[in-house]
Amino acid sequence: MIYHATDHDIDAAQIDKDAINIIQRLLDAGFSAYLVGGSVRDLLLKRVPKDYDISTSARPEQVKELFRRQCILIGRRFRLAHIRYGHKIFEVSTFRAGENEGDLIVQDNLWGTPEEDVLRRDFTINGLFYDPTSHSVIDYVGGWEDIHKKVLKSIGNPSIRFRQDPVRMIRLLRFSSRTGFAIDPDTKEALLQLTQEILKSSPARILEEMLKMLESGHSSGFFREMLHAGILKHLFPTLATFLQSRHGKEVYQLLTAADALMKKMPHDRKLTRAVLASALLFPILEKEIDFQFLRKNAVPNFGQVMDLSGHIIHGVLINAFSHFPRKLSSEIHYILSMQYRLTPLSGKRTHGPRLLRQADFIHAVDFLHVRATASPVLSEPYEWWSHLVRGADHHKHR
Ligand code: ATP
Ligand code: MG
């Protein structure tokens, strides 16, 4: 099905000029080329696409020959071209065939037609092409209708598609929390049946999807859906149990606060992954400190807070992902422990220049910003520290 310019209201002026340029160069060389996937979906939804993927009949080596030094070929299992324009990178992939019926994907470089290519994609709303020369949307999978009906639906048989690549289940919840679209009943049913398959996926890919979601501005809804679908308990059992407890809502409150800040902050001041991941763990730490110390009328010293944070990071993250990146976990460790310096249990704030010079200190203050957004009583200490950090920053730059 082809939808012409008169059928839709995609504003061509909105589309990245360099993406159009790449498509034009491929067309001039005699290949076919389209925008595909997330960017077409976002343009139809009137959202600004994060990035632009291009699908073409040109093979990776042919793309390389055309774009020379602007282009690098990546991936072994799934060969792709990355084309660089300034600081932007465009992903250019060759139409592929295969995969649709088989179980697990081994060979992924079997070239195909545009139609075969979209049949391998995950959800109908991600399976549209846009042809900038005729300004038309090309739909082989019913994605147009699903976007307008606000429905998320697997391309093909959902059970087969989830078994082939279980990460698609996480992607489904990612799109569902981001768009608010309803999940088609067959797709939902397959998801609920197959949650435990997620354990067959590569931990690195799963972790990447989770971290991306923390950065998305929709993390609170996403974690709620991951819990309710029954996926979270397979991936992060300790966190899943905590979220279901009486204190679980504190995690959602911090995530909601972080989401609000992420939407508001300028690009170069976005919260880091370590700050965002701290939102998952801080309420667990608070509860543990309450349980082990405060209830016994004791106050932990800083070393004890450090030990407990380390223990929780192990229990929640590292036990779940043995390859959890060391740098990330040590940043989280610092941010969590530091909260007890920023808002000491004794109520007595102390600071010295050494503290302000620590590289991650600003991130600890950023996390206090998240806490203060969730509980306004913390605004005063946040403003105080934030003022101090800005002052220290000012001196550094002089
Ligand atoms: P985002 O806006 O978050 O980038 P996206 O849809 O562009 O969303 P990407 O991960 O950038 O997501 O993937 C680009 C496209 O590649 C998707 O729109 C989809 O067509 C296809 N795709 C990505 N991952 C898979 C997968 N696991 N299985 C099938 N198709 C996939
Ligand atoms: Mg994308």
Side-chain angles (χ1 to χ4, degrees):
M1 188 77 181
I2 296 183
Y3 298 92
H4 298 285
T6 46
D7 301 325
H8 62 77
D9 54 358
I10 291 182
D11 177 6
Q14 274 282 312
I15 304 172
D16 190 291
K17 297 289 166 296
D18 295 329
I20 302 285
N21 205 336
I22 293 172
I23 292 180
Q24 195 57 53
R25 274 173 75 180
L26 287 161
L27 295 175
D28 290 345
F31 301 108
S32 52
Y34 305 104
L35 278 185
V36 69
S39 60
V40 184
R41 174 198 71 217
D42 290 346
L43 288 166
L44 283 169
L45 290 172
K46 298 249 162 274
R47 294 178 193 209
V48 182
K50 267 203 321 255
D51 44 37
Y52 292 83
D53 296 329
I54 292 162
S55 215
T56 180
S57 60
R59 311 264 163 101
E61 318 78 59
Q62 295 171 315
V63 178
K64 173 74 186 165
E65 206 172 298
L66 210 55
F67 291 88
R68 300 286 164 107
R69 288 179 51 200
Q70 256 179 303
C71 170
I72 52 164
L73 298 185
I74 59 155
R76 186 182 287 232
R77 199 197 80 174
F78 195 96
R79 288 186 70 210
L80 285 177
H82 273 180
I83 296 182
R84 181 186 290 279
Y85 268 84
H87 61 279
K88 284 180 293 190
I89 293 192
F90 298 89
E91 215 169 84
V92 179
S93 62
T94 308
F95 300 135
R96 283 173 163 75
E99 197 234 42
N100 247 304
E101 295 306 318
D103 236 14
L104 263 178
I105 317 155
V106 236
Q107 223 280 51
D108 223 344
N109 291 319
L110 186 62
W111 314 128
T113 63
E115 178 167 8
E116 286 170 318
D117 188 83
V118 282
L119 292 178
R120 313 168 61 266
R121 291 175 181 273
D122 48 6
F123 305 106
T124 61
I125 66 164
N126 290 342
L128 296 168
F129 287 124
Y130 176 77
D131 174 357
T133 52
S134 65
H135 198 45
S136 53
V137 175
I138 303 162
D139 182 6
Y140 295 101
V141 292
W144 171 280
E145 204 182 310
D146 289 341
I147 284 186
H148 291 91
K149 287 197 317 212
K150 302 191 187 301
V151 169
L152 288 164
K153 190 166 157 193
S154 285
I155 293 174
N157 177 323
S159 305
I160 296 178
R161 305 309 309 287
F162 287 150
R163 266 189 232 275
Q164 272 169 342
D165 179 4
V167 171
R168 289 174 186 149
M169 298 190 286
I170 301 184
R171 290 176 57 85
L172 175 69
L173 300 180
R174 164 171 152 208
F175 296 121
S176 141
S177 55
R178 212 162 72 177
T179 58
F181 284 16
I183 301 175
D184 169 79
D186 288 348
T187 302
K188 180 80 178 244
E189 173 71 23
L191 167 78
L192 297 177
Q193 292 289 322
L194 294 171
T195 51
Q196 77 289 351
E197 294 281 309
I198 196 65
L199 293 168
K200 295 186 186 161
S201 295
S202 123
R205 281 184 67 208
I206 295 175
L207 193 62
E208 187 55 30
E209 287 285 341
M210 306 288 288
L211 293 171
K212 254 194 184 169
M213 253 345 269
L214 283 173
E215 296 173 310
S216 73
H218 298 275
S219 68
S220 178
F222 172 74
F223 276 90
R224 204 180 288 277
E225 293 201 32
M226 287 284 285
L227 179 75
H228 289 158
I231 299 190
L232 202 65
K233 69 170 187 279
H234 296 299
L235 298 178
F236 295 97
T238 314
L239 178 63
T241 307
F242 188 80
L243 285 176
Q244 282 167 303
S245 78
R246 204 151 52 81
H247 296 279
K249 64 175 186 304
E250 291 159 30
V251 173
Y252 293 122
Q253 281 160 1
L254 287 178
L255 291 175
T256 304
D259 288 340
L261 290 177
M262 285 301 267
K263 286 182 191 148
K264 217 164 62 187
M265 282 176 148
H267 264 297
D268 55 343
R269 277 291 293 130
K270 293 271 187 223
L271 304 173
T272 63
R273 289 180 162 190
V275 172
L276 294 162
S278 298
L280 299 172
L281 304 187
F282 186 66
I284 304 181
L285 175 63
E286 276 187 303
K287 198 195 117 219
E288 223 27 59
I289 285 181
D290 181 52
F291 188 72
Q292 294 193 24
F293 295 92
L294 308 184
R295 278 191 208 179
K296 300 175 187 159
N297 284 324
V299 173
N301 61 37
F302 193 62
Q304 288 169 315
V305 171
M306 296 265 294
D307 284 351
L308 256 183
S309 328
H311 190 72
I312 288 169
I313 289 170
H314 258 93
V316 178
L317 302 178
I318 298 174
N319 284 350
F321 279 87
S322 47
H323 296 296
F324 196 89
R326 258 300 263 287
K327 182 161 176 293
L328 187 56
S329 64
S330 68
E331 285 167 9
I332 298 172
H333 191 191
Y334 177 85
I335 292 169
L336 291 177
S337 313
M338 223 40 192
Q339 300 310 306
Y340 287 84
R341 292 288 293 270
L342 300 178
T343 53
L345 292 163
S346 67
K348 238 176 51 207
R349 283 196 289 255
T350 52
H351 72 89
R354 263 208 349 213
L355 201 61
L356 299 183
R357 276 201 300 269
Q358 291 172 357
D360 283 330
F361 186 71
I362 176 103
H363 300 132
V365 175
D366 276 347
F367 185 64
L368 177 56
H369 193 186
V370 175
R371 290 170 60 208
T373 305
S375 3
V377 289
L378 295 173
S379 298
E380 188 276 323
Y382 165 65
E383 291 300 336
W384 193 84
W385 284 108
S386 158
H387 184 77
L388 214 65
V389 172
R390 281 198 299 263
D393 224 35
H394 184 66
H395 281 293
K396 249 190 265 168
H397 290 306
R398 274 207 300 194

